[in-house]
Amino acid sequence: MAFDPKALKFDDKGLIPAIAQDAETHEVLMMAWMNAESVAKTLETGKVTYWSRSRQSFWVKGESSGHVQELVDFRYDCDQDCILVLVKQKGPACHTNRRSCFYTAVRDGETVELMSPMG
Amino acid sequence: MAFDPKALKFDDKGLIPAIAQDAETHEVLMMAWMNAESVAKTLETGKVTYWSRSRQSFWVKGESSGHVQELVDFRYDCDQDCILVLVKQKGPACHTNRRSCFYTAVRDGETVELMSPMG
């Protein structure tokens, strides 16, 4: 069946959450937001493109930092309200220079830092 | 540092997205929402507890289906606005009886079903 980005369910701001997962290691790298146009751009260009809520503009991941996400597979969930992109991540995904944004754990009520910035 | 669920950033509905990932296979299973109390309950009980937006009530995952998610690790991201729970998933995570909710891919403009309901 042909895919139409408009078949996805966007929230009242026209956005849908998108989870980026490393296609090889399966590490969850980050979560950001897309609108219908950034979904279309991601599929057309093969470069993962979010919608920046703070800047209110397209955010081609890595465009300024070089830490691009090359699309390997584009998936969405049973409710059509969340996207999972499997990616080839160049360098760190996180703006703190860590491989993943999910570097803080809560264990026995305390926060624990799981990874350091990449050298 | 002691963790306080209120340190997380909740949206204008008091919710934060939570990604569930299989702790062993690293498969992304589903995404749902938590509020501050469901975060606290998840950490206290070790049973992943979401907030059901449709029912406006706590949703102890698997409470009725038996397909529980036992918490293995609780993490959050650099912006404190997304949670990643690593879980031991019993049976299917998806209400369609599939292991993961992300069973639909878009390839060459067509939708492709990647997995079947569990037997």
Side-chain angles (χ1 to χ4, degrees):
Chain A
M1 209 173 70
F3 171 71
D4 180 351
K6 293 195 188 74
L8 297 171
K9 284 178 201 147
F10 299 91
D11 69 11
D12 51 10
K13 298 181 184 73
L15 301 175
I16 183 169
I19 303 160
Q21 182 180 29
D22 188 299
E24 281 184 15
T25 65
H26 293 165
E27 188 176 17
V28 174
L29 299 170
M30 58 180 282
M31 195 282 281
W33 298 81
M34 292 189 183
N35 60 13
E37 281 175 273
S38 59
V39 167
K41 279 178 192 283
T42 296
L43 289 167
E44 277 164 28
T45 64
K47 288 175 184 164
V48 178
T49 303
Y50 302 100
W51 178 257
S52 168
R53 294 179 302 171
S54 55
R55 294 195 303 268
Q56 289 287 304
S57 63
F58 291 111
W59 169 25
V60 181
K61 172 70 183 162
E63 199 176 33
S64 54
S65 66
H67 303 143
V68 292
Q69 290 180 342
E70 191 184 309
L71 182 67
V72 175
D73 206 19
F74 183 100
R75 300 180 189 170
Y76 58 88
D77 75 349
C78 53
D79 293 328
Q80 297 92 45
D81 63 3
C82 188
I83 290 167
L84 175 67
V85 281
L86 277 76
V87 304
K88 191 183 267 191
Q89 170 72 52
K90 193 165 173 187
C94 184
H95 76 287
T96 67
N97 228 36
R98 291 173 175 85
R99 180 71 182 168
S100 162
C101 294
F102 295 94
Y103 56 83
T104 308
V106 180
R107 295 176 182 171
D108 299 322
E110 300 283 321
T111 58
V112 180
E113 193 175 303
L114 303 177
M115 61 190 95
S116 304
M118 292 172 82
Chain B
M1 207 173 71
F3 171 72
D4 181 350
K6 292 193 189 77
L8 297 171
K9 285 177 200 148
F10 298 91
D11 69 11
D12 51 8
K13 297 181 184 72
L15 300 174
I16 185 170
I19 303 160
Q21 182 179 29
D22 189 299
E24 281 183 15
T25 65
H26 294 165
E27 188 176 18
V28 174
L29 299 170
M30 59 181 283
M31 195 283 281
W33 298 81
M34 293 189 181
N35 60 13
E37 281 176 272
S38 60
V39 168
K41 280 179 191 284
T42 297
L43 288 167
E44 277 163 30
T45 63
K47 288 175 183 163
V48 178
T49 304
Y50 302 101
W51 178 257
S52 168
R53 296 179 300 171
S54 55
R55 295 194 304 269
Q56 287 288 303
S57 63
F58 291 110
W59 168 27
V60 182
K61 173 69 183 162
E63 199 174 34
S64 53
S65 66
H67 303 144
V68 292
Q69 290 180 341
E70 191 184 307
L71 182 67
V72 175
D73 206 19
F74 184 100
R75 300 180 188 169
Y76 58 87
D77 74 348
C78 52
D79 293 328
Q80 297 90 46
D81 63 3
C82 188
I83 291 167
L84 175 67
V85 282
L86 277 76
V87 304
K88 194 183 264 191
Q89 170 72 53
K90 194 166 175 186
C94 184
H95 75 288
T96 67
N97 229 36
R98 290 172 175 85
R99 180 72 182 168
S100 162
C101 295
F102 295 93
Y103 56 83
T104 308
V106 179
R107 295 177 181 171
D108 299 322
E110 300 284 319
T111 58
V112 180
E113 194 175 302
L114 303 177
M115 61 190 94
S116 304
M118 291 172 83

